[in-house]
Amino acid sequence: MSGESTTTSWAAKLEFYSRAIIENLLPIAILLGIWEFVSWYELVPPQLFPRILTIFNTMVEEMTDGVLLTHIGTSIMRLFVSVFFALIAGTLIGIIMGTSRTFEWIFVPVVNFFSVIPGIALFPATILFWGLTEQAVIITISFATTIPIILNTWVGVKTVNETLVNAARSMETKGLSLLVRVLLPGSLPVVISGWRIGFARAWRVLLAGELLASPEMGLGVRIFDAQETLNSAVIYGGIIIIGFLGFAMERLVLRSLEVATVQRWGMMREL
């Protein structure tokens, strides 16, 4: 019986991961097929729309030389450091706003004010204080990423089912215990959505920052350098890498967290 159970478990896992791979990669494969069709028949000038094979060959050459890997590593380092601080600060501030009327009254106008300001517009101010440095890029990305995380966390905590909160309070669950057992689990779907939005915003601000703050390395630097020489293969290669890295991080981290928590708890239906 134990052997049959193990076999069934492995079969279920294999089916799950196979389906996940197909569902995630098939739309991308279709998009690349359309791209190859357009470039093969030169419906768009090849200088502007190179073939997929040309783009991937260029990427492989740059990876072999080590240049592309250095650019990727530098951008990922900036992204991880910025998002790390944004996740901590944004989630904590959002929780405080959702549980304290005083802090909500103070922070809501300020957060709403900065929420409409594009992250790229903050770079001139940070450059004034920190100059054309790594700190200016990381601080700007962190600040711009924090805003949507604060808003979603605040909304998530505020919209937890009032019946659950009252039921917990009737059993004398208060303070930190109420937060950990009721408010955080109940708000997690919205909180994770805010992390996802913040992560996407971080990527956009990062690439703009790598251009404006003039660092020496990074995917944004590589793309804009290629623009000056009209090297479309390098430009599209950089864009593909950015999309792939963002997609992989979202699937491996945020989506896995959703499956292990809110979907497992029955708070999110499986498609």
Side-chain angles (χ1 to χ4, degrees):
M1 293 295 292
S2 177
E4 293 179 2
S5 177
T6 303
T7 303
T8 304
S9 176
W10 277 107
K13 289 182 179 180
L14 180 61
E15 180 182 358
F16 172 80
Y17 286 114
S18 299
R19 187 178 67 177
I21 292 173
I22 293 174
E23 289 177 350
N24 288 308
L25 296 184
L26 184 58
I28 297 176
I30 293 174
L31 179 62
L32 294 179
I34 296 173
W35 184 317
E36 185 67 13
F37 175 83
V38 172
S39 60
W40 176 268
Y41 288 98
E42 296 187 359
L43 302 179
V44 179
Q47 295 81 3
L48 303 177
F49 212 72
R51 294 185 59 190
I52 292 295
L53 185 60
T54 303
I55 296 173
F56 279 104
N57 284 338
T58 303
M59 291 166 58
V60 170
E61 291 176 3
E62 291 193 325
M63 285 188 178
T64 303
D65 295 338
V67 176
L68 185 57
L69 292 176
T70 304
H71 284 293
I72 293 174
T74 304
S75 292
I76 290 179
M77 182 276 296
R78 293 186 183 120
L79 184 75
F80 278 0
V81 173
S82 303
V83 171
F84 174 76
F85 289 115
L87 283 176
I88 295 176
T91 305
L92 287 177
I93 294 173
I95 290 173
I96 294 172
M97 287 172 57
T99 54
S100 170
R101 291 184 179 180
T102 302
F103 278 95
E104 183 181 43
W105 179 77
I106 294 172
F107 279 103
V108 166
V110 177
V111 174
N112 284 330
F113 173 81
F114 282 106
S115 68
V116 299
I117 299 177
I120 191 174
L122 301 173
F123 272 108
T126 54
I127 290 174
L128 283 176
F129 285 93
W130 288 278
L132 299 175
T133 62
E134 198 77 22
Q135 289 86 343
V137 178
I138 291 176
I139 289 171
T140 306
I141 298 170
S142 298
F143 186 83
T145 306
T146 301
I147 300 301
I149 295 176
I150 291 175
L151 287 174
N152 276 60
T153 304
W154 166 60
V155 171
V157 173
K158 293 285 288 186
T159 55
V160 173
N161 194 317
E162 191 69 22
T163 303
L164 297 177
V165 177
N166 291 334
R169 285 174 175 166
S170 68
M171 293 183 286
E172 299 185 354
T173 304
K174 300 178 182 178
L176 184 60
S177 180
L178 179 66
L179 176 65
V180 173
R181 295 183 178 183
V182 179
L183 295 180
L184 283 182
S187 63
L188 200 55
V190 185
V191 172
I192 293 177
S193 177
W195 293 349
R196 184 177 281 112
I197 295 171
F199 179 74
R201 189 172 187 180
W203 262 120
R204 295 193 294 269
V205 179
L206 168 66
L207 297 178
E210 289 181 338
L211 171 66
L212 295 178
S214 301
E216 297 180 356
M217 302 298 294
L219 285 172
V221 177
R222 185 60 181 152
I223 291 173
F224 288 112
D225 285 346
Q227 178 190 11
E228 295 180 357
T229 59
L230 299 179
N231 193 337
S232 58
V234 173
I235 294 174
Y236 288 122
I239 294 173
I240 289 173
I241 290 172
I242 292 168
F244 175 78
L245 290 175
F247 174 80
M249 293 176 189
E250 192 276 334
R251 292 283 96 181
L252 294 175
V253 180
L254 296 176
R255 179 55 185 157
S256 297
L257 180 60
E258 279 184 338
V259 172
T261 54
V262 294
Q263 187 169 306
R264 183 181 178 185
W265 300 337
M267 301 173 66
M268 176 184 293
R269 58 188 174 86
E270 183 178 0
L271 297 177

